[in-house]
Amino acid sequence: MLKIENLHATVDGKQILNGLNLTIPSGEIHAIMGPNGSGKSTLSYVLAGREGYEVTEGSVTFGEVDLLAMEPEERAVAGVFLAFQAPVELPGVGNANFLRTALNAVRRAKGEAEIDAIQFLKLARARMKVLNMPDDMLKRPVNVGFSGGEKKRNEMLQMALLSPKLALLDETDSGLDIDALKLVSDTVNSLRGPDFSALVITHYQRLLTHIVPDRVHVLSAGRIVKSGGPELAHELEASGYGAIQDAAA
Amino acid sequence: MTAISSTGPAAFLGRHEGLRGRLPGAQLPWVEALRDRSAAAFRAQGFPTRRVEAWKYTDLAVVNASVFGEPLTAVDDALALPPAAGPRAVFIDGRFRADLSALEGLPFTVENLASALPRLESRLGALARPEEQSLAALNGMLFEDGLVVTVPESVEAGVLELFSFATESERAPAFHPRHLVRLGAGASLTLVETAAGPATARYLHNPVFEIEVAEGARMNHGRLQQEGRDAFFLSTVYARVQAGGTYDNFTMNAGSRLARNEIHVALCGPKAECHMNGVQLLADGQHADTTTALDHAAPDCSSRQTYKTVLSGKSRGVFQGKILVRQIAQKTDGYQMNQALLLSPDAEIDSKPQLEIYADDVKCSHGATVGELDAEQIFFLRSRGIPLEQAKAILVEAFLTEAVEAVADEAIRDALSRAVTGWWQRQGIQGGIEAA
């Protein structure tokens, strides 16, 4: 599904990713852990196509296509979804209108029929019920005045509606209480299947007890320094990143 | 008229001389006196240059250098108007057209100025200040017609539409309608005004409004300026609001090559209110100027102003907002916000707030922001599959939302939403947000 080879990337001329290799087969969920500044968020932005993140070397193949050659909206249509670490506020844009516009933009690009307002509301309300989101969150402007937990649940609502092939969860657990964490995890787990992969970026092992990953990778100084099964997350929780960074150095 | 200058103030002054005795009201001494006084004021001021403080950012040199003619008297039957949804008054090149208007059976009086003139001595010129505003002087010298609305005490007049159209003409007509609105105590009126003309025609539309809002009355004044792209729209509004009355003005400047939207409001009795909101949508080659002057002349009054300007291509926007709080106007609550969104590096916005406060117990604030579209918001929308151009359109729409939502009247808000959508389509941008 996703194949990252020898990826080097700079932000504002500063080298952040230094030859990162990572393969996520279809149907698998991988976790990336690592200390602050190791390049976790940069990786998610490079994969989603954010301006200002310059790839200087290496390749990213998504399915059969060169992901790095695509515009951000083309990547979304192809099935890449980035759940933002700090979800963006859109004052003056109603949440329901935004969600329907996004959904129909993706459907149009895929040659599928657009969905009308009534169908949309039905779909959205069903998803929101699972996420324990009150109806009025559809009427409010996107993420404006939302609590940290509401913003993250709104990201999950977008993900559920757009049903991506590859979800990039950038510290989706940050700022969540245990109930919200569980709702987020349930949403990800509900999408699990042979056509869904995810890259879960996190500081803490906590999220990974709810979303149990197939593989765990440790990122340090812009490259993967250690990979293992779910037990690696527990080891890290016990020993910290220091030992691994020292060993890699 | 061959011996006189074909451009500038001299051309207009010559026209006044030439038409003396033939302009409406020529037989009425007070009208003649008003025209002469206006002519003297216009002779003294001419078209203001940028050396005049109030015109620092808007240059009328191009108007000054243009040749204008008289509007044709020929009837343009080809004009396709949508069927009237309610009462409406239609003016073509500044002249009332009864045949295109729908004004029967109203619980208030709507007349055209040319016919009502003998009865207007106490009203016409009661608010306009030709000695201070040169364009009002030009209007006072050459007005031919206009709308006269009189709403009796306590009557809820509902919505009245005012259409002003220019026709295609090689004569580049200049017209100077004078519109008078008077609301009795406790009365209400929503006036929705559309000014439009052919895309490529050159003309000068120079309307002056004199609006009197009595105690406890409410006037909603929606203005959609969609003049042709080679037109000049120079408009001056004077409004006077008595105790407990409200004047609510919303103006959209989207058309014309050069637009000046000047509004003078005086709050003359306690608890009078004024709302002035607007959007300016400017494309390449356009210049639009909104200039407001608010006179807090009584205690306990409030005023709210929110103006938003979107500029693309090589366009220029101007906002000047003056709030005067007189010594008597204690407990004044004044707010003014002016925001601009620059979509192009060639666009320019000039903003000049001006507070003059002589009372000591007042709450007055103003703010101005200039920005570009937010890169993070654009990326967020694109990451959800929304194409770049549509993402931009959504964010521009959102930027305008605050000003649009401040419009209390539904008829005006709807007309405005349609106008904004139409503007987008004319910019070749398909699809903003989809309603759900």
Side-chain angles (χ1 to χ4, degrees):
Chain A
M1 167 57 46
L2 182 73
K3 191 169 186 190
I4 303 172
E5 289 179 297
N6 191 31
L7 188 63
H8 289 71
T10 60
V11 183
D12 295 331
K14 205 175 148 210
Q15 193 77 35
I16 307 289
L17 298 182
N18 285 300
L20 189 145
N21 292 292
L22 178 65
T23 298
I24 307 179
S26 284
E28 289 194 6
I29 290 183
H30 288 207
I32 285 203
M33 302 182 75
N36 280 331
S38 58
K40 300 192 301 291
S41 287
T42 297
L43 174 62
S44 67
Y45 282 142
V46 166
L47 295 177
R50 185 170 183 161
E51 251 176 65
Y53 290 73
E54 202 190 333
V55 173
T56 51
E57 209 183 324
S59 68
V60 178
T61 313
F62 179 61
E64 301 294 312
V65 297
D66 174 7
L67 192 69
L68 299 178
M70 298 162 85
E71 296 292 337
E73 57 267 36
E74 294 170 337
R75 300 183 198 201
V77 169
V80 176
F81 180 89
L82 169 63
F84 285 64
Q85 184 183 144
V88 179
E89 296 184 6
L90 301 178
V93 181
N95 204 24
N97 295 350
F98 157 67
L99 292 167
R100 182 171 167 232
T101 303
L103 187 54
N104 276 337
V106 169
R107 294 178 71 97
R108 249 196 315 275
K110 286 184 183 168
E112 295 171 4
E114 293 175 32
I115 66 165
D116 64 30
I118 296 164
Q119 282 174 296
F120 166 78
L121 281 178
K122 227 168 125 181
L123 201 64
R125 288 208 174 107
R127 287 296 188 174
M128 288 172 76
K129 208 170 158 191
V130 177
L131 280 160
N132 197 18
M133 293 168 77
D135 261 13
D136 81 320
M137 281 177 72
L138 280 177
K139 291 191 196 110
R140 288 153 63 185
V142 180
N143 293 329
V144 179
F146 285 27
S147 70
E150 285 176 330
K151 284 181 180 172
K152 295 297 173 75
R153 277 185 276 166
N154 203 34
E155 293 288 290
M156 292 301 98
L157 174 61
Q158 292 158 44
M159 183 177 76
L161 288 170
L162 295 175
S163 52
K165 291 193 182 113
L166 172 70
L168 310 166
L169 308 179
D170 186 3
E171 296 194 23
T172 300
D173 52 338
S174 69
L176 288 191
D177 60 28
I178 191 69
D179 292 334
L181 190 74
K182 196 150 179 335
L183 290 169
V184 164
S185 308
D186 288 350
T187 306
V188 176
N189 289 329
S190 75
L191 294 174
R192 275 193 130 144
D195 293 326
F196 177 77
S197 324
L199 183 61
V200 180
I201 295 169
T202 182
H203 260 303
Y204 306 105
Q205 179 266 335
R206 191 174 70 147
L207 178 65
L208 304 179
T209 57
H210 297 284
I211 306 172
V212 179
D214 296 288
R215 299 283 290 165
V216 175
H217 311 277
V218 180
L219 188 64
S220 177
R223 55 175 6 139
I224 306 279
V225 293
K226 188 166 186 181
S227 298
E231 70 288 348
L232 180 56
H234 297 275
E235 278 172 38
L236 285 169
E237 189 83 350
S239 62
Y241 294 113
I244 289 168
Q245 282 173 292
D246 293 345
Chain B
M1 296 219 289
T2 47
I4 54 174
S5 171
S6 61
T7 63
F12 288 102
L13 288 162
R15 188 160 303 137
H16 172 235
E17 282 305 320
L19 292 172
R20 188 177 277 282
R22 281 186 287 151
L23 285 167
Q27 72 289 2
L28 300 168
W30 68 269
V31 174
E32 280 303 274
L34 182 90
R35 291 195 192 278
D36 287 343
R37 179 189 148 201
S38 299
F42 187 64
R43 185 175 288 113
Q45 299 170 86
F47 285 110
T49 66
R50 294 182 58 189
R51 287 191 297 276
V52 176
E53 183 62 23
W55 291 86
K56 193 173 168 187
Y57 303 111
T58 294
D59 193 343
L60 292 180
V62 61
V63 178
N64 196 45
S66 295
V67 179
F68 296 102
E70 289 301 297
L72 291 168
T73 43
V75 171
D76 181 6
D77 287 318
L79 192 75
L81 273 181
R88 77 172 174 202
V90 177
F91 288 78
I92 306 294
D93 295 339
R95 290 172 181 149
F96 180 64
R97 285 282 297 266
D99 57 322
L100 299 172
S101 301
L103 297 165
E104 285 77 38
L106 300 176
F108 58 103
T109 314
V110 182
E111 303 161 280
N112 71 306
L113 186 114
S115 342
L117 211 42
R119 299 185 297 282
L120 296 173
E121 183 172 0
S122 65
R123 287 176 67 178
L124 207 165
L127 303 185
R129 296 193 296 270
E131 282 77 15
E132 290 166 46
Q133 280 85 42
S134 176
L135 297 172
L138 173 61
N139 177 290
M141 183 171 83
L142 287 171
F143 70 84
E144 284 187 42
D145 211 345
L147 181 72
V148 181
V149 183
T150 312
V151 184
E153 205 176 304
S154 302
V155 168
E156 290 180 17
V159 181
L160 172 65
E161 292 194 77
L162 166 58
F163 282 94
S164 168
F165 291 106
T167 55
E168 191 78 61
S169 160
E170 284 174 13
R171 302 160 69 99
F175 44 99
H176 317 268
R178 175 71 61 110
H179 305 295
L180 309 178
V181 179
R182 176 178 273 177
L183 272 65
S188 66
L189 169 72
T190 292
L191 183 68
V192 183
E193 184 192 346
T194 302
T200 56
R202 163 74 54 98
Y203 55 92
L204 168 63
H205 183 190
N206 175 39
V208 169
F209 281 82
E210 297 184 84
I211 298 168
E212 296 172 74
V213 179
E215 288 76 9
R218 180 182 183 97
M219 162 98 178
N220 297 320
H221 190 185
R223 315 188 71 199
L224 307 173
Q225 188 271 107
Q226 299 170 287
E227 303 281 15
R229 283 289 299 276
D230 205 23
F232 304 112
F233 178 79
L234 305 174
S235 152
T236 314
V237 173
Y238 299 91
R240 189 163 62 192
V241 188
Q242 303 300 337
T246 300
Y247 177 66
D248 188 330
N249 179 305
F250 186 98
T251 303
M252 184 191 77
N253 263 334
S256 81
R257 168 176 173 179
L258 192 161
R260 167 90 159 190
N261 165 35
E262 186 168 327
I263 313 173
H264 299 262
V265 179
L267 300 176
C268 299
K271 297 204 157 112
E273 272 185 49
C274 174
H275 302 247
M276 286 189 274
N277 301 297
V279 299
Q280 307 195 109
L281 309 170
L282 307 181
D284 195 40
Q286 288 184 290
H287 178 114
D289 170 335
T290 290
T291 294
T292 67
L294 195 50
D295 182 355
H296 278 270
D300 298 311
C301 294
S302 68
S303 60
R304 292 276 173 279
Q305 300 181 58
T306 303
Y307 284 94
K308 303 244 185 180
T309 304
V310 178
L311 303 104
S312 66
K314 192 170 161 55
S315 60
R316 188 168 180 192
V318 177
F319 174 80
Q320 307 184 102
K322 181 178 172 182
I323 302 178
L324 166 65
V325 181
R326 294 177 192 264
Q327 199 167 4
I328 191 178
Q330 299 294 350
K331 306 277 182 199
T332 286
D333 181 0
Y335 170 82
Q336 181 190 88
M337 178 54 82
N338 164 46
Q339 296 182 308
L341 184 59
L342 301 173
L343 301 180
S344 132
D346 299 325
E348 180 181 336
I349 178 86
D350 295 286
S351 179
K352 190 176 74 179
Q354 203 184 338
L355 303 187
E356 219 175 286
I357 301 176
Y358 298 99
D360 48 23
D361 184 12
V362 302
K363 205 168 81 186
C364 245
S365 63
H366 69 85
T369 66
V370 180
E372 297 168 19
L373 288 175
D374 184 89
E376 197 174 11
Q377 293 179 334
I378 291 178
F379 172 64
F380 174 55
L381 289 165
R382 295 179 79 189
S383 79
R384 298 303 180 248
I386 297 168
L388 177 61
E389 286 304 312
Q390 193 182 359
K392 287 182 181 175
I394 288 170
L395 293 176
V396 172
E397 239 177 88
F399 169 77
L400 296 173
T401 296
E402 187 193 349
V404 175
E405 283 180 352
V407 179
D409 189 86
E410 205 176 324
I412 295 174
R413 213 168 45 231
D414 289 351
L416 179 75
S417 298
R418 284 195 300 275
V420 171
T421 309
W423 187 79
W424 275 118
Q425 285 162 353
R426 285 193 299 282
Q427 306 310 306
I429 291 166
Q430 294 305 315
I433 196 88
E434 293 176 34

